[in-house]
Amino acid sequence: MTSESVQPMSGPSRRTVVAAVGAAGLTVALTACGSDDKAADPSTEQGAASGGATNEGGGGSSDGAGAGGAALAKTADIPEGSGKIFKDEKVVVSQPAAGDYKAFSTICTHQKCPMVDLKDDVISCACHGSQFSVLDGSVKKGPAVQPLEAKQISVNGDSITLA
């Protein structure tokens, strides 16, 4: 009989590699479905600015570029029974009835995804399929259960500004 020498393995064992790959996959899956750090940010958290938009000036703030009185749109730009998305300001402005203007955040209340798909009076989230009314911010279809955050706007003449 001859004796063979067994060389010690260098590098990680198969078990270590399989465990590491499994853990990495789990981390990616949890991150994709979990909330992000924005959820702790009061400027994006649901309820940070309660109350609806008004046609008069009012308190409130926005994290968008339109904050501080910069004109957002002309009243003629907002169709009655629908609305218009302002992507940079993360807001949708709607006109539920003639001369009545409202504004809501375009950040989905489910997992904080930005929404840019507006058809008729429904804004949809591409991440998980939630749908909201742009006329009152209510949930039309889940998985979201909280309405859109209302934003303060003011209408002066034919100019709409984010308050």
Side-chain angles (χ1 to χ4, degrees), residues 50-138:
S50 61
T54 64
N55 286 345
E56 273 100 60
S61 64
S62 168
D63 25 75
L72 194 59
K74 298 286 186 196
T75 55
D77 296 337
I78 311 301
E80 187 177 343
S82 187
K84 182 175 179 182
I85 294 174
F86 298 90
K87 190 175 176 180
D88 291 342
E89 291 81 5
K90 298 180 181 113
V91 69
V92 60
V93 176
S94 64
Q95 186 178 189
D100 180 28
Y101 298 92
K102 297 188 182 273
F104 301 95
S105 170
T106 57
I107 302 301
C108 181
T109 59
H110 173 240
Q111 291 292 326
K112 308 294 184 213
C113 291
M115 297 183 290
V116 295
D117 183 27
L118 174 63
K119 183 172 181 184
D120 298 323
D121 67 341
V122 176
I123 189 168
S124 301
C125 180
C127 292
H128 301 104
S130 292
Q131 294 181 340
F132 302 86
S133 168
V134 296
L135 304 180
D136 63 10
S138 65

Side-chain angles (χ1 to χ4, degrees), residues 1-5:
M1 258 193 180
T2 62
S3 97
E4 294 182 25
S5 73

